């Protein structure tokens, strides 16, 4: 099954931002495009707005004047669904309500032929449920574009329970012919991206609710240590707190209130107060005229230790040993009584492992970094039993390596480590359940939410058992079930151990 021929008309129903974006993508690809909106006159307004964007593409040398004129000639606003007769594909981008979408597609079936591909751009509803009311449900698929559709490459092609595989293949190949990067996905709550991305927001909110760190510090650590393009608080402000919370709530409900997807009370209060982010002028941050962005907590300068003693295998943090040597700090070999760095005086510096610092004597934890050499900030945590001298020397050590240091509360798993571990867990589970392939999961998370690494790629880099071990310890600290490793992650870790030839 191949992509739709460029002579085949494509229709878009719903002419908001997303609908206009999808129409522009199909139009620039070369299709005749028809626009319909239930609100009178809205389709004509949308056509004019798309024409203006085509003008800007010409100004930026991304289209020629002739290509723009040809595209405009192929764009037709229509005033009734009857105007969509003869279309080969209809993509819906209307309000996220199941009853509205079902009613629309039932009406469309009376207009288009049985060979017309019908697609929903829903981000939170079940594709199976939307298509369940159709006379010919096999031709119904999900085509989930990301906003702004003309710029973002990812399209999740969602196969509902009744979708004919040939229909899904045609939708996939059509998206690819439009210059997009499609990924195939089974119909699961949140599909790939909105399912696997939940911990990125949830763990930042949890750290804040536990008074571990303020939003500015959490965001700085996620960016400067974790390698994420934006922190969770600034990103939800950009998305809209109401929109982000709505998706979280939808996924949570769709998974029968699975505790791993539980919404945040702090975010609920923010939405209730009307602080929706950039669009309202206030969210976690103030976007009013003259408002100053709060600074992350950054420790005062401290003296670096004269030496460190390396015990055991530092695992994902092994690169630190070379960095410490390069800065002229003596590195001594210790015994394999544990893993970490022993500081002068006997205090220990240990990579976050899902336990609290208070469970050990005189310990400072440091957070996971995507790349310790390139990271510009590292988070440390300490407990009341940690000596001030140990915390000062740990701070000075990382400062000597050129890092800013943020000291947060004694939060198990810290910020980056617990976030990455949970993302890996959900990704591994999705693959095991046949939601998508490893390659498609990694592609979706890199392109859909701009993660620095795909979750499965991250797991391979960190070691197959790393996420399971950290989540096991976190579950011991907070045994609500939120952090219990999935069965899929246990199997994934065991398979990785067998492949590496180590005992499980």
């Amino acid at each position: 099954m191949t992509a739709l021929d460029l002579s085949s008309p494509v229709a878009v129903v719903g002419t908001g931002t997303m609908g206009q974006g999808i129409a522009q993508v199909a139009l620039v690809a070369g299709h005749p495009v028809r626009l319909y909106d239930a609100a009178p006159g809205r389709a004509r307004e949308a056509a004019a707005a798309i024409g203006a964007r085509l003008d800007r593409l010409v100004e930026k040398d991304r289209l020629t004047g002739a290509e723009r004129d040809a595209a405009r000639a192929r764009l037709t606003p229509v005033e009734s669904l009857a105007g969509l007769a003869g279309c080969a594909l209809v993509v819906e981008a209307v309000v996220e309500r199941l009853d509205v979408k079902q009613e629309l597609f039932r009406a469309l079936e009376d207009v288009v032929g049985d060979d017309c591909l019908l697609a929903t751009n829903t981000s939170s509803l079940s594709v199976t449920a939307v298509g369940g009311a159709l006379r010919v449900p096999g031709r119904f698929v999900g085509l989930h574009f990301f906003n702004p559709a003309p710029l973002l490459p990812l399209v999740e092609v969602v196969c509902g329970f009744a979708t004919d595989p040939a229909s899904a293949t045609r939708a996939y190949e059509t998206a690819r012919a439009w210059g997009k990067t499609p990924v195939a996905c089974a119909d699961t709550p949140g599909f790939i991206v909105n399912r696997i991305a939940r911990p990125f927001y949830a763990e930042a909110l949890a750290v804040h609710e536990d008074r571990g760190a303020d939003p500015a510090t959490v965001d700085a650590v996620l960016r400067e240590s974790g390698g994420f393009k934006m922190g969770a608080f600034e990103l939800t402000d950009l998305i809209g707190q109401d929109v982000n919370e709505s998706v979280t709530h939808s996924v949570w409900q769709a998974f029968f209130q699975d505790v791993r997807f539980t919404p945040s009370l702090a975010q609920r209060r923010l939405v209730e107060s009307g602080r929706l982010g950039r669009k309202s002028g206030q969210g976690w941050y103030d976007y009013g005229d003259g408002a100053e962005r709060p600074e992350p907590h950054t420790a005062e300068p401290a003296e670096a230790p004269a030496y460190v003693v390396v015990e055991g295998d530092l695992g994902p943090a092994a690169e630190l040993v070379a960095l410490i040597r390069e800065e002229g700090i003596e590195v001594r070999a210790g015994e394999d009584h544990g893993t970490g760095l022993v500081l002068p005086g006997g205090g220990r510096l240990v990579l976050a492992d899902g336990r609290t610092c208070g469970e050990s004597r005189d310990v400072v934890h440091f957070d996971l970094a995507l790349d310790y050499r390139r990271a510009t900030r590292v988070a440390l945590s300490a407990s009341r039993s940690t000596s001030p001298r140990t915390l000062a020397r740990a701070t000075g050590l990382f400062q000597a390596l050129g890092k800013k240091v943020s000291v947060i509360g004694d939060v198990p798993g810290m910020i980056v480590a617990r976030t990455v571990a949970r993302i890996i867990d959900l990704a591994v589970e999705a693959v095991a359940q046949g939601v998508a392939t490893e390659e498609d999961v990694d592609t979706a998370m890199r392109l859909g939410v701009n993660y620095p690494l795909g979750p499965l790629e991250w797991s391979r880099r960190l070691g197959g058992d790393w996420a399971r071990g950290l989540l096991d310890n976190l579950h011991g600290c907070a045994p609500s079930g939120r952090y219990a490793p999935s069965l899929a992650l246990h199997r994934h870790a065991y398979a990785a151990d067998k492949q590496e030839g180590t005992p499980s």
Side-chain angles (χ1 to χ4, degrees):
M1 184 66 69
T2 58
L4 292 176
D5 187 88
L6 289 181
S7 64
S8 302
V10 171
V12 177
V13 179
T15 58
T17 301
M18 183 59 78
Q20 291 182 31
I22 296 170
Q24 181 180 327
V25 170
L27 194 65
V28 172
H31 288 272
V33 173
R34 303 178 196 172
L35 288 175
Y36 171 73
D37 197 289
R42 191 72 59 80
R44 289 193 302 273
E45 294 173 4
I50 293 171
R53 283 200 289 274
L54 295 178
D55 288 339
R56 289 195 290 273
L57 290 178
V58 172
E59 293 170 3
K60 296 177 181 179
D61 292 326
R62 295 178 184 172
L63 278 182
T64 67
E67 288 170 335
R68 173 199 58 198
D69 295 342
R72 278 181 167 170
R74 293 193 301 271
L75 181 61
T76 306
V78 300
E79 294 301 323
S80 69
L81 284 180
L84 306 184
C87 284
L89 166 65
V90 180
V91 183
E92 162 273 317
V94 302
V95 64
E96 286 285 88
R97 279 180 46 187
L98 179 61
D99 59 336
V100 172
K101 292 179 188 290
Q102 287 180 328
E103 183 180 353
L104 168 64
F105 282 110
R106 279 195 295 262
L108 278 168
E109 278 198 309
D110 293 333
V111 173
V112 301
D114 287 354
D115 59 345
C116 176
L117 193 62
L118 298 179
T120 175
N121 184 59
T122 185
S123 62
S124 60
L125 299 177
S126 163
V127 170
T128 300
V130 176
L134 296 182
R135 176 173 48 81
V136 188
R139 42 91 169 267
F140 188 75
V141 300
L143 273 180
H144 181 214
F145 289 78
F146 288 74
N147 195 29
L151 297 180
L152 294 187
L154 184 70
V155 177
E156 293 176 318
V157 181
V158 186
C159 193
F161 187 78
T163 301
D164 187 325
S167 298
T169 301
R170 170 153 283 187
Y172 184 98
E173 293 300 333
T174 298
R176 184 157 64 178
W178 290 358
K180 296 301 181 182
T181 303
V183 292
C185 176
D187 187 17
T188 183
F191 310 141
I192 300 173
V193 172
N194 280 330
R195 170 177 174 165
I196 296 173
R198 294 344 299 159
F200 181 73
Y201 314 109
E203 294 313 307
L205 288 160
V207 169
H208 173 61
E209 289 174 326
D210 288 341
R211 301 180 69 84
D214 61 277
T217 299
V218 172
D219 281 352
V221 172
L222 286 169
R223 289 193 314 270
E224 299 174 43
S225 183
F228 293 95
K229 298 297 184 183
M230 298 181 73
F233 293 100
E234 58 190 345
L235 181 54
T236 53
D237 269 358
L238 177 63
I239 294 169
Q241 297 300 331
D242 53 339
V243 174
N244 183 259
E245 191 210 26
S246 176
V247 173
T248 297
H249 195 272
S250 174
V251 172
W252 175 61
Q253 290 284 18
F255 276 114
F256 307 104
Q257 299 186 357
D258 186 329
V259 68
R260 295 177 301 167
F261 300 100
T262 302
S264 161
L265 182 59
Q267 189 175 42
R268 175 92 290 263
R269 293 292 179 257
L270 203 68
V271 172
E272 289 174 338
S273 71
R275 298 184 175 191
L276 306 182
R278 292 190 181 187
K279 63 185 177 183
S280 70
Q282 176 77 52
W284 292 110
Y285 301 107
D286 186 350
Y287 299 94
D289 292 340
E292 293 186 6
R293 183 71 173 264
E295 292 293 327
H297 170 76
T298 302
E300 295 295 324
E303 184 178 352
Y307 67 89
V308 296
V309 179
V310 179
E311 291 194 341
D313 179 6
L314 298 185
E319 186 181 23
L320 283 175
V321 176
L323 297 180
I324 293 169
R325 284 197 175 101
E326 289 170 16
E327 291 304 318
I329 298 172
E330 182 184 354
V331 176
R332 301 176 182 176
E335 299 179 4
D336 290 338
H337 294 314
T339 58
L341 301 173
V342 181
L343 302 168
R348 298 175 61 84
L349 186 56
V350 177
L351 177 63
D353 61 2
R355 290 177 284 201
T356 62
C357 295
E359 295 176 53
S360 304
R361 188 180 69 84
D362 203 13
V363 162
V364 171
H365 283 166
F366 63 96
D367 207 352
L368 181 70
L370 174 68
D371 182 332
Y372 283 101
R373 184 174 293 277
R374 296 183 179 180
T376 57
R377 182 180 299 270
V378 171
L380 301 180
S381 69
S383 71
R384 293 180 180 178
S385 63
T386 303
S387 74
R389 179 180 60 181
T390 296
L391 179 57
R393 285 176 171 166
T395 299
L397 175 63
F398 279 104
Q399 288 173 340
L401 303 183
K403 319 300 181 189
K404 295 178 182 177
V405 173
S406 291
V407 179
I408 69 171
D410 189 9
V411 178
M414 301 192 69
I415 297 171
V416 179
R418 68 196 282 175
T419 299
V420 171
R422 288 209 58 217
I423 288 170
I424 289 172
D425 187 24
L426 292 187
V428 167
E429 183 182 60
V431 171
Q433 292 177 350
V435 172
T437 65
E438 287 191 10
E439 181 181 2
D440 278 356
V441 166
D442 280 351
T443 297
M445 301 313 290
R446 282 189 286 102
L447 298 183
V449 277
N450 217 1
Y451 283 3
L453 292 175
L456 283 307
E457 184 183 0
W458 225 326
S459 178
R460 289 188 291 271
R461 175 184 287 197
L462 295 170
D465 201 30
W466 177 84
R468 181 184 65 172
L470 187 139
L471 291 176
D472 266 334
N473 289 335
L474 254 173
H475 179 58
C477 292
S480 65
R482 176 188 180 110
Y483 299 106
S486 67
L487 175 61
L489 187 63
H490 279 287
R491 288 172 172 163
H492 176 77
Y494 178 76
D497 285 340
K498 295 290 285 185
Q499 189 174 17
E500 294 167 6
T502 58
S504 177

